[in-house]
Amino acid sequence: MCSKKLTATICAVLLIITSLLTACGSSESNQSSGQQPDKNQTLNLFFESPTTLDVNDVRNSSEFQILSQVQEGLVRTYTDKNGKEKTVPAGAKSWKITNGGTVYTFKLRNYKWSDGKEVTAQNYVDSVLRLLDPKKAFSYAFFAYDIKNAEKYYAGKAKAKDVGVKALDDKTLQFTLEKPTPQFNKKFGFVALFPIRLDVIKKGGETYATDYKAQVFSGPFVIKSWVKDNSLVLKKNPKYWDAKNVHLKTVNLKKVDETSTQASLFQSKQTDVIAAQQQYIKKWAGESKQGKIQYIHGNTPLTSYIVFNQKSGGTSGLLKNAKIRLALSLAINREDLVKLVFGRYRPAYGLIPNGIQVGNKDYRDDVAQPLKPLYDKYNGNKSELQELFKEGLKELGVKKRLSDITFTLITTGTDALSKSEQEYYQQEWEKNLGVKVKLNVLESKLFVAQRNANKYDLLLNGWFGDYNDPSTFTDMWTANNGFSKFFGFYSDKKYDAYYKKLDGVTDDAQREKIYAQLEDLLIAKDAGVAPIYYGDSQYFVQNYVKNISFPLFGTPIDFSRAYISGKE
Amino acid sequence: MLIYTFRRLAEMILTLFIIATATFFLLAAVPGDPISDRVEKLPTQIRHNMYAKYGLNKPLLQRYVITMKGLAVGNFGESIIYPGQTVQSILHDKLPASARLGIQQMVLGITIGLGLGIIAAMKKNTWIDYSIITAAILLISIPHLIFGLLLQKMFAGNLGWFPVIGWPKGKDLWTGGWEYTILPTLTGCFAYIASYTRLLKTSMLDVVNQDYILTAESKGISKARVVLKHVLRNSMIPIITNLPMSIAMCITGSFFIERIFSIPGIGMYYVTSVNGRDLPLIMGQTVIISAIYVTVIFITDVLYTIVDPRIQIQGGRK
């Protein structure tokens, strides 16, 4: 399981995950062909109970996990054996993009709801309009903002008929975008845009969202039973369009909060997949080397940061200076942190984590991490770091000795791991820069209050991307946008100017170049934020589970084409 | 007695009103609201719409009046964190598991506790007494969490005698699936064993030193008869007055035990609703639990008069 501190800080900010346990995703799947499926096709998993079964109202990975397996959207994303994502047509048979990248026309497959009715293009149109209904106040409404007039409709400034989504006939769906937006390619498969049945929702009434008996399903499985916040059972959907490739007959999902209980269930093979937990990684990785279990690890679209208060310069008043920020950023030895404190993750010297793609190419394969050259020069070199810091003080006209300076770090984590992490930063700054650091650990709602009141110098935060494009990491750093308060009110006119250049650019190579400029400016030149580590996804899977997928976005696990072989 | 009952009833309603009001304003004074975490990352327009949807944009006093009106007619409102769920529906779904677990723990714990208490009192100042009391203190000091995990690892993990997690459902809800309930019951019963052992021992020793026991013994009545007829009956007063409180506590669930054994009980909801500032749930739960407690206190007072004739209720005074 990912660190609790992460859960605390990121959840305070991010909607997409409330539980990193299930939110880490991605990696290679064990696709060994030629193995015969067993007779008993039952998969046992842990899960977080969803709060709703309403696709438009999805909030986090617990809903993505269930809804992605019981409903069918336009496409489905799997991971191949190298951990690379592959998106294949699902509800859509094919599509074409025309008018300079602004019109998307989908041909839908002939597939049915579990009550026998055909899935129609109108079901998709209804979904988009309902998602954007201002009265419903769905939190993922903004995900449809690329569509023409969507944002205006949500704000009550346009009519439903003006929104760029149309059913040309029963099986042809058309989106018209506001402007060319290549990222939309990575968004249209999102759960909140899955088709819906207005008649079923109306019939279900007030409890529709949490009553599984009131639902109809279009995906590989149907819900057989659900004890809220405890357990859920899925059965294969015989009416599914690709039922012949769905092997699992039953999937039992159980909510088990205690990590040691999870471990004993996994060790006694009563559960088949477990997210890596810090205290067991070594032991289980060893067992995987002996071939007893599968160890599946890969990227997750998460970067953790240390945020500098650039609104007021912080309680110390020093953080408006880029050199001081850079010195603070470079003073932290990231390799030791991931090795000694976490025992996992990857040191971060950039904004965009591994696994994020521009088009179909990994961004990080092409673009070097901007902070790395500076880090190699300064880290471990105390006197040069302090010199950099002092230059900053001089620029500010502050005449203080380093030992007279105190920074306040606010955070939320209270567990042992978070404590070690916080103390690690404190020691690194005190040791390498000679400044003092005060740790202020707060309950999450108090943390938010303190942050909004600007009573901090530094805070720990992170960002979990929403879709597979660098823009999900670069969008929120422009001046005065809604996210500024999470990121210390970073603002630079140059950043805004670079960002504007992205407008309407559809060429991937050109986009990649602009993203690289943005990243370099933010992380190295401005030191507007200090990236610390990239998250990862680590799962242990029983040997008899085959062909299971861990996509980077949306559902943590896709088991729709998985099967059991060799358990009996 | 009738006047007394009416007066107590009026007092109970007033108490509940004060508790509800205090809870409401205390929650309003604490930073954060139920949806702040969820809406933080969202564009401004979406944030506004969400606050409006849950009525959180209304002035404080207006929200207070709406909440209290709802409480008066037993409508606590829909949970903000769990859409479509109300306090009533959560209690309906989750209370049975918590109640069965609590009752089993209590019945087993109190039975063993009383037995050990008698033995400890009879053998006072011997090694038997010392070991029982030491064990009781030790057991009550070990947190549920550790105890549960230990039992789970030993008897479910290593020995495989019982299932690691789970709880009977459907037709087994109340009377079947005993193998699932054994470890959680054991985990929770030690608290009862410990407290009732010590309670009964202390109270028996008090009684043993009374003159009437001396009289009974000097009349030549057998020791067993003295204990059963005189000592035990009189020692029961603190036990009986403690019992209603134990019952009230046992049905409200245990967060840790339910968590360790993945029991679909009510315990989790208290913790998550407070952390999430889920106002309708917090208000509903607080009022219901307070109602149970004030009722229990009333019953306890009445019980006093039954088990101890020296205490009487007269004309609204006791």
Side-chain angles (χ1 to χ4, degrees):
Chain A
M1 179 171 166
C2 301
S3 86
K4 248 187 177 167
K5 169 246 137 192
L6 268 180
T7 324
T9 45
I10 292 153
C11 287
V13 180
L14 291 187
L15 182 81
I16 192 157
I17 42 166
T18 48
S19 154
L20 278 178
L21 169 69
T22 47
C24 298
S26 136
S27 194
E28 61 196 77
S29 68
N30 184 53
Q31 205 146 11
S32 18
S33 52
Q35 278 159 311
Q36 280 306 309
D38 287 2
K39 219 168 157 201
N40 183 0
Q41 289 294 323
T42 304
L43 184 70
N44 298 299
L45 297 173
F46 297 129
F47 86 135
E48 288 292 322
S49 200
T51 46
T52 172
L53 298 174
D54 183 337
V55 294
N56 296 138
D57 197 19
V58 285
R59 295 155 190 216
N60 55 50
S61 59
S62 58
E63 284 99 43
F64 300 149
Q65 178 64 79
I66 301 303
L67 291 171
S68 69
Q69 307 300 297
V70 299
Q71 305 290 5
E72 190 83 336
L74 293 168
V75 290
R76 206 167 260 284
T77 299
Y78 303 103
T79 45
D80 70 6
K81 59 181 182 214
N82 300 316
K84 280 257 157 76
E85 289 205 317
K86 201 175 146 208
T87 298
V88 298
K93 213 159 50 180
S94 62
W95 60 91
K96 57 175 194 268
I97 306 166
T98 51
N99 292 35
T102 56
V103 176
Y104 284 64
T105 312
F106 293 88
K107 273 280 166 213
L108 300 186
R109 183 183 301 284
N110 286 325
Y111 74 116
K112 287 186 166 64
W113 295 97
S114 51
D115 66 353
K117 285 201 175 156
E118 200 68 28
V119 178
T120 65
Q122 190 58 40
N123 295 153
Y124 281 90
V125 175
D126 292 341
S127 176
V128 173
L129 294 179
R130 184 167 174 265
L131 176 67
L132 289 167
D133 182 347
K135 278 197 223 74
K136 301 276 185 212
F138 292 131
S139 35
Y140 265 110
F142 72 96
F143 225 78
Y145 277 6
D146 292 336
I147 299 169
K148 196 171 182 190
N149 288 326
E151 194 168 357
K152 282 193 197 127
Y153 174 59
Y154 189 79
K157 288 175 192 147
K159 293 204 178 93
K161 65 174 175 46
D162 302 329
V163 178
V165 57
K166 294 277 170 305
L168 301 186
D169 59 48
D170 264 5
K171 290 289 175 186
T172 314
L173 171 72
Q174 191 172 70
F175 289 112
T176 308
L177 305 188
E178 199 75 54
K179 60 187 180 201
T181 317
Q183 302 90 292
F184 190 68
N185 275 318
K186 309 286 182 65
K187 287 183 177 175
F188 59 65
F190 190 62
V191 177
L193 301 169
F194 279 12
I196 57 164
R197 279 275 296 279
L198 289 176
D199 57 323
V200 173
I201 295 174
K202 200 171 162 205
K203 201 173 139 210
E206 278 177 26
T207 54
Y208 162 78
T210 48
D211 180 5
Y212 71 93
K213 288 179 187 145
Q215 310 280 327
V216 288
F217 306 102
S218 59
F221 300 95
V222 297
I223 299 178
K224 183 77 198 314
S225 68
W226 180 23
V227 180
K228 281 180 198 119
D229 286 301
N230 187 251
S231 59
L232 193 142
V233 179
L234 299 177
K235 289 274 178 209
K236 180 176 169 175
N237 178 3
K239 293 210 175 84
Y240 183 56
W241 67 269
D242 194 23
K244 66 175 193 305
N245 286 318
V246 176
H247 299 284
L248 294 172
K249 293 206 171 77
T250 308
V251 181
N252 297 310
L253 298 124
K254 288 208 169 73
K255 177 173 149 74
V256 177
D257 293 321
E258 207 44 58
T259 51
S260 38
T261 309
Q262 287 188 347
S264 33
L265 285 166
F266 181 70
Q267 279 164 333
S268 56
K269 295 200 164 64
Q270 292 179 62
T271 201
D272 300 327
V273 178
I274 191 168
Q277 300 160 2
Q278 204 203 9
Q279 62 269 43
Y280 294 99
I281 287 184
K282 261 207 182 123
K283 181 176 173 224
W284 289 342
E287 286 180 19
S288 81
K289 273 196 194 122
Q290 298 164 19
K292 287 183 188 158
I293 47 176
Q294 306 172 57
Y295 181 20
I296 296 178
H297 47 97
N299 302 311
T300 209
L302 165 75
T303 308
S304 100
Y305 312 121
I306 292 175
V307 168
F308 304 116
N309 185 347
Q310 293 150 77
K311 171 134 184 157
S312 55
T315 40
S316 67
L318 302 176
L319 291 174
K320 282 194 167 180
N321 184 277
K323 281 186 178 152
I324 292 180
R325 294 196 299 263
L326 187 64
L328 285 164
S329 175
L330 296 174
I332 290 162
N333 185 326
R334 280 119 166 127
E335 280 88 9
D336 281 355
L337 175 76
V338 298
K339 211 161 60 198
L340 303 176
V341 176
F342 293 116
R344 64 187 295 182
Y345 305 137
R346 207 195 280 240
Y349 307 100
L351 179 71
I352 294 154
N354 301 73
I356 295 289
Q357 300 174 337
V358 184
N360 296 317
K361 267 175 34 191
D362 261 25
Y363 172 84
R364 275 273 80 100
D365 288 350
D366 287 356
V367 181
Q369 302 190 81
L371 197 66
K372 193 71 168 80
L374 285 168
Y375 178 83
D376 289 339
K377 182 179 162 210
Y378 281 96
N379 192 265
N381 193 337
K382 245 163 83 169
S383 56
E384 276 202 49
L385 269 176
Q386 294 191 358
E387 214 36 61
L388 182 67
F389 194 100
K390 281 179 194 156
E391 279 174 38
L393 286 180
K394 215 166 164 189
E395 286 175 10
L396 286 173
V398 173
K399 287 192 186 108
K400 261 188 185 172
R401 279 186 310 181
L402 292 177
S403 57
D404 292 337
I405 292 168
T406 304
F407 289 110
T408 307
L409 172 78
I410 61 167
T411 168
T412 52
T414 51
D415 56 304
L417 186 63
S418 303
K419 283 227 163 82
S420 331
E421 186 196 353
Q422 294 149 13
E423 280 163 15
Y424 181 85
Y425 299 139
Q426 186 183 33
Q427 281 169 23
E428 287 285 283
W429 285 319
E430 297 193 345
K431 184 179 78 190
N432 296 327
L433 296 173
V435 297
K436 289 200 181 64
V437 175
K438 197 176 112 198
L439 297 179
N440 201 354
V441 183
L442 302 159
E443 188 253 2
S444 70
K445 306 251 175 192
L446 283 173
F447 170 86
V448 169
Q450 196 94 335
R451 184 201 64 205
N452 291 350
N454 267 303
K455 285 187 190 149
Y456 70 95
D457 286 303
L458 309 151
L459 62 82
L460 305 185
N461 205 340
W463 188 261
F464 199 104
D466 281 325
Y467 51 88
N468 200 347
D469 191 273
S471 59
T472 191
F473 283 91
T474 55
D475 276 0
M476 59 283 186
W477 302 92
T478 52
N480 299 321
N481 77 54
F483 304 120
S484 297
K485 65 177 177 194
F486 309 128
F487 302 115
F489 291 92
Y490 167 80
S491 83
D492 185 338
K493 287 200 182 84
K494 257 193 245 154
Y495 190 94
D496 299 351
Y498 287 151
Y499 186 80
K500 266 217 184 92
K501 286 202 287 185
L502 277 170
D503 232 18
V505 176
T506 50
D507 178 56
D508 288 336
Q510 209 183 334
R511 286 202 299 135
E512 187 176 84
K513 233 166 124 184
I514 303 173
Y515 289 133
Q517 282 177 323
L518 288 168
E519 189 184 30
D520 180 54
L521 181 68
L522 173 67
I523 302 295
K525 295 209 172 71
D526 284 344
V529 70
I532 303 298
Y533 61 86
Y534 302 128
D536 63 11
S537 146
Q538 303 195 21
Y539 282 92
F540 293 95
V541 180
Q542 307 287 6
N543 275 342
Y544 49 77
V545 179
K546 314 291 183 194
N547 203 24
I548 191 165
S549 255
F550 299 90
L552 257 74
F553 297 91
T555 184
I557 307 176
D558 192 308
F559 47 79
S560 62
R561 304 298 189 275
Y563 60 96
I564 306 293
S565 172
K567 188 179 184 183
E568 284 154 0
Chain B
M1 186 71 188
L2 204 63
I3 303 169
Y4 173 74
T5 311
F6 273 121
R7 212 191 89 181
R8 284 298 298 264
L9 216 60
E11 277 176 12
M12 276 157 67
I13 291 169
L14 183 70
T15 312
L16 288 181
F17 174 78
I18 294 172
I19 290 173
T21 305
T23 312
F24 181 90
F25 286 104
L26 280 174
L27 276 170
V30 180
D33 59 61
I35 56 172
S36 58
D37 287 355
R38 253 179 79 200
V39 302
E40 273 226 310
K41 194 192 151 195
L42 303 176
T44 324
Q45 184 66 45
I46 293 177
R47 209 176 312 153
H48 283 318
N49 288 351
M50 282 180 73
Y51 274 95
K53 181 182 171 186
Y54 294 108
L56 291 165
N57 54 349
K58 295 199 175 86
L60 185 65
L61 281 177
Q62 197 180 338
R63 280 191 284 143
Y64 172 70
V65 173
I66 294 171
T67 309
M68 294 311 270
K69 267 189 188 159
L71 289 184
V73 294
N75 171 17
F76 304 108
E78 187 183 313
S79 161
I80 295 175
I81 303 182
Y82 308 99
Q85 300 204 54
T86 59
V87 175
Q88 284 94 331
S89 75
I90 289 175
L91 286 178
H92 174 265
D93 289 350
K94 305 291 176 184
L95 198 62
S98 290
R100 176 174 173 188
L101 175 62
I103 292 167
Q104 283 185 203
Q105 287 170 347
M106 194 180 69
V107 170
L108 183 69
I110 294 182
T111 314
I112 299 176
L114 293 183
L116 290 177
I118 297 174
I119 297 172
M122 305 275 294
K123 307 274 181 193
K124 87 173 154 151
N125 297 337
T126 66
W127 66 271
I128 299 176
D129 172 26
Y130 293 140
S131 36
I132 288 177
I133 295 303
T134 315
I137 292 171
L138 268 179
L139 286 176
I140 210 170
S141 326
I142 301 175
H144 277 164
L145 179 71
I146 306 218
F147 217 87
L149 287 174
L150 266 175
L151 289 179
Q152 188 181 54
K153 195 166 163 38
M154 261 165 60
F155 295 104
N158 298 351
L159 295 170
W161 293 354
F162 304 105
V164 179
I165 54 160
W167 195 256
K169 51 189 162 200
K171 62 179 182 2
D172 289 339
L173 185 61
W174 288 101
T175 50
W178 292 96
E179 69 274 18
Y180 289 102
T181 69
I182 291 173
L183 293 181
T185 304
L186 278 178
T187 308
C189 81
F190 286 109
Y192 292 103
I193 296 181
S195 56
Y196 278 85
T197 302
R198 287 190 306 159
L199 197 65
L200 185 64
K201 186 202 158 188
T202 323
S203 133
M204 271 179 74
L205 291 184
D206 269 355
V207 177
V208 165
N209 293 328
Q210 300 288 330
D211 290 344
Y212 58 85
I213 300 296
L214 220 66
T215 316
E217 277 174 349
S218 60
K219 282 200 291 188
I221 301 173
S222 73
K223 191 156 186 190
R225 223 177 122 83
V226 173
V227 170
L228 277 177
K229 225 162 146 94
H230 299 278
V231 181
L232 218 51
R233 176 163 178 198
N234 286 297
S235 315
M236 278 301 166
I237 295 170
I239 304 290
I240 285 173
T241 51
N242 242 292
L243 211 55
M245 217 38 135
S246 288
I247 294 172
M249 268 162 66
C250 91
I251 58 168
T252 52
S254 155
F255 175 66
F256 286 118
I257 297 177
E258 288 174 9
R259 188 182 146 99
I260 298 167
F261 295 100
S262 286
I263 298 167
I266 199 87
M268 181 197 89
Y269 286 88
Y270 296 116
V271 181
T272 49
S273 63
V274 172
N275 280 344
R277 314 271 194 273
D278 195 349
L279 195 79
L281 276 200
I282 300 177
M283 292 299 289
Q285 288 170 350
T286 311
V287 169
I288 290 173
I289 294 176
S290 311
I292 293 176
Y293 274 75
V294 291
T295 315
V296 158
I297 291 169
F298 174 63
I299 295 172
T300 313
D301 287 349
V302 175
L303 272 181
Y304 264 120
T305 65
I306 296 170
V307 294
D308 191 346
R310 285 169 297 181
I311 303 169
Q312 282 191 345
I313 296 166
Q314 280 172 342
R317 285 168 191 278
K318 58 173 177 172

